[in-house]
Amino acid sequence: LQLTRWAFAEGMKRVVALVSVDNPASSRVVAKAGYTFEGVLRSVHHVNDRRIDLESWSILPGELPDIG
């Protein structure tokens, strides 16, 4: 949350988190931080010798929860 707050304080109008579909723990973290799931970007990231899918999450100013 601190990095997101900093980004908005610096003037960002939207923050995006990209999370591997194979990492449900990170998905839970961004969801708890108030990010909204937008969908899956298929075969968008290259890791070692394979392509992986990433979940796209975003948050806008004013959507930050009052935690952390």
Side-chain angles (χ1 to χ4, degrees), residues 38-62:
E38 294 186 321
V40 175
L41 304 171
R42 298 173 42 218
S43 190
V44 72
H45 190 60
H46 189 254
V47 176
N48 298 324
D49 288 327
R50 66 185 191 102
R51 305 289 300 180
I52 64 168
D53 299 344
L54 296 177
E55 295 177 352
S56 178
W57 296 77
S58 71
I59 193 165
L60 304 174

Side-chain angles (χ1 to χ4, degrees), residues 6-20:
W6 172 84
F8 289 142
E10 290 295 310
M12 298 283 294
K13 301 299 181 194
R14 171 182 163 89
V15 177
V16 174
L18 299 176
V19 177
S20 170

Side-chain angles (χ1 to χ4, degrees), residues 1-9 11-19 27-39 55-68:
L1 282 175
Q2 294 303 327
L3 183 57
T4 303
R5 283 191 180 103
W6 172 84
F8 289 142
M12 298 283 294
K13 301 299 181 194
R14 171 182 163 89
V15 177
V16 174
L18 299 176
V19 177
S27 296
R28 287 190 298 274
V29 168
V30 295
K32 185 176 180 180
Y35 284 66
T36 299
F37 178 72
E38 294 186 321
E55 295 177 352
S56 178
W57 296 77
S58 71
I59 193 165
L60 304 174
E63 294 181 341
L64 278 171
D66 206 17
I67 60 173

